[in-house]
Amino acid sequence: MTATPASSFTMSLPDWLTAELPTLPQSIEGAEAQMALVNRLADRNWREGNGGPFAAIVVDASTGELVSVGVNVVLATGISSGHAEVMALGLAQTRVGTWDLGAERDLALVVNWRPCVQCYGATMWSGIRHLIVAGDGPELERLTGFDEGPMVPDWAAQFEARGISVTQDVGRADALAVYEAYGASSSTVYNARGAGRIEKD
Ligand SMILES: [Zn+2]
């Protein structure tokens, strides 16, 4: 802690992903192929020690153009809100040049599980028009020990009611494999609610 309050903070992609950005395809057609990239980045992210096993991308829903890429950077930045969805949405907004991702584009957020309670709001306020997730349900928390917060049971219906389409269970088996590998490792679970991992059932 420094002597005076901070005046800014920065959350950047890790070096390994920044280096990979020029090599990524400019467009990826189809939700399965888009999620395959997300699952691959999520797996590498925790192995690099950068944060949790989470990744997200923003794509153009009609052309497949890859607009942004995000991974969880909580451990690398020391900032608790640095989830993959927040990174992908913020970097997309930076690139598109507006806080409203639905203003001129038909964009989709592709992420390797249903958003946590923080990213539920961040996604809703981003203007994004589509949400594609690998899955929903207790498997993520059971396999990884992360607490996703008090999500409302009708989260998907709440998105749909606001004009955000929801597609579920894309690349689900691959997402679960990433969580299983993570859960079997000794990586840090950084929920502030307690010491280390929550109890697994
Ligand atoms: Zn989140």
Side-chain angles (χ1 to χ4, degrees), residues 54 72 80-86 111 114-120 122 148 190:
F54 306 109
N72 183 296
S80 63
S81 59
H83 291 190
E85 298 96 318
V86 168
V111 55
R114 178 264 291 149
C116 77
V117 66
Q118 169 193 264
C119 297
Y120 178 44
E148 295 293 292
Y190 46 76

Side-chain angles (χ1 to χ4, degrees), residues 11 16 27 45 56 68-69 72 75 89 98 108 118 132 182 199:
M11 293 196 292
W16 63 266
S27 71
N45 194 57
S68 72
V69 174
N72 183 296
L75 292 179
L89 292 167
T98 171
Q118 169 193 264
I132 300 169
Y182 176 85
E199 285 297 311

